[in-house]
Amino acid sequence: MRIPCPYCGSRDASEFSYSGDATLTRPAPDNADAMFDYVYLRDNPVGVHREYWYHDAGCHAWLTVTRNVSTHEVIDAVLAHDEAAS
Amino acid sequence: MRYSLTSLLKQTLTGHKGWTPQWRDAAPKAEYDIIIVGGGGHGLATAYYLAKEYGLRNIAVLEKSWIGSGNIGRNTTIIRSNYLLSENISLYELSLKLWEGLEQDFNYNAMVSQRGVLNLYHSDGQRDAYARRGNMMRLNGADSELLDREGVRKLYPFLNFDAARFPIQGGLLQKRGGTVRHDAVAWGYARGASDRGVDVIQNCEVTGIDIVDGRAVGVQTSRGAIRAKKIGLAVAGSSSRVAAMAGMRLPIESHVLQAFVSEGLKPVIPGVITFGAGHFYISQSDKGGLVFGGDIDGYNSYAQRGNLPVVEDVCEGGMALMPAIGRARMLRNWGGLVDMSMDGSPIIDRTHVKGLYLNAGWCYGGFKATPGSGFVFAHLLAKDEPHPAANRLLLDRFLSGHIVDEKGQGAQPNLH
């Protein structure tokens, strides 16, 4: 599996750390039910999954990667920072 | 047919022409009292104990492929109960006790071999942690023995004791741990359940769960609708997919775990050894292959195959632990899907849907739990309340804060 890092180009997935589902949004801290949902529950879908990868053996950027979890095909990778700003 | 020395001799004298199929390949009926979704080890064991312990007969096990095509045929065959937390030890120790009597119980040769499981430690801190875990095991009725360096050397003189980075200081040994012929577990349970009237239905994929007024009333399958009074899900690896049919989101991610086997060798490793400074464990099958594995790949996957970085990492662990392994060639590797739960422990509980029960979240510890899991899940299905050995592995523990986190990693499924 190779991940196209926007800074470093196509790099082996072993350079990255995985940090799970990127579709979750952290709720307000006083909303206990929403916080439980955010911390513990996952859609865990088959097929296309959006997820965070951290390029710790490279440029140290956080990426939002779109990947097919049934085939391991990496479809897209963008900077998580850019996505959050848009 | 009951297997015995007499039946074997009789078949030998008649050219082995009288053996009959070990279980009925049943077709689905319109209605059952209980449907178990998932014809793997846990599902078949559940059906077996429902029939044997609770006298229930009108049961179907639905399997989307052939029985034993999932993780019961993809694991590294190790059994043990060397856990730290009493919530886990009670279940795994129940399971280990069931393993000890399993072959006589279901009249099938599962080649249960209590050859000992040794966890190595490589530092003072790790020794203290293992001593504590060993004490917890004995407090909960399991066996454990803390070995020093010389104690380990007596068992396994060929290990890399004086490695510069991770010298072996000793190990925590559970002598009652060992290995089992994994496929035979599925076959033995299928045969035992089928003999007691359970329908084992293969090539029957569940595509929907029918719910009326908050109660599960049946399933839709690739072979038509089937009604049921109770439904138990034992589909670890795909639990989120099946639970989603009942509108549930689970505290689970699906990950891939790889395992490996070398070419066949003469006997070299008598027991099971785990490396304490990396994630690597190894044993030798009765056929001679070295069976070994390591960490999960670490990302969500439904692919049943992993990637090369983990292959490299596992082999590096093997070389660090026992350099002689470098002379052996790897024969095969494969991957299985595991439910990685948010605290690293399984979930065996009722759900918000009446009559729908969940057995999930086994992480990479499902095989050793097979008999125990089936036993406590059968109890839950029959009595509608958790078995005492598994009454803290409930679904709502994540909401209430009573999580069972062996490693203290928090809600990071890929770190458990």
Side-chain angles (χ1 to χ4, degrees), chain B residues 79-150:
Chain B
I79 60 170
R80 56 185 175 85
S81 63
N82 53 0
Y83 283 77
L84 173 70
L85 302 177
S86 49
E87 292 92 328
N88 277 327
I89 304 179
S90 59
L91 174 63
Y92 288 104
E93 180 56 21
L94 167 71
S95 196
L96 192 51
K97 288 199 171 80
L98 289 168
W99 282 120
E100 288 176 323
L102 185 66
E103 294 164 305
Q104 290 71 29
D105 186 64
F106 67 14
N107 181 232
Y108 204 84
N109 182 11
M111 295 164 72
V112 177
S113 166
Q114 293 182 285
R115 53 183 71 181
V117 173
L118 177 68
N119 295 168
L120 297 171
Y121 60 79
H122 307 264
S123 68
D124 292 354
Q126 199 170 25
R127 178 200 58 213
D128 294 351
Y130 280 22
R132 179 182 173 221
R133 180 147 60 90
N135 291 342
M136 285 299 289
M137 288 164 65
R138 287 198 300 281
L139 281 171
N140 282 282
D143 67 304
S144 73
E145 195 178 325
L146 195 68
L147 302 182
D148 61 10
R149 186 179 160 93
E150 291 315 306

Side-chain angles (χ1 to χ4, degrees), chain A residues 44-60:
Chain A
N44 193 20
V46 178
V48 175
H49 190 235
R50 287 173 63 71
E51 56 201 24
Y52 290 124
W53 290 78
Y54 174 60
H55 200 178
D56 53 357
C59 63
H60 288 209

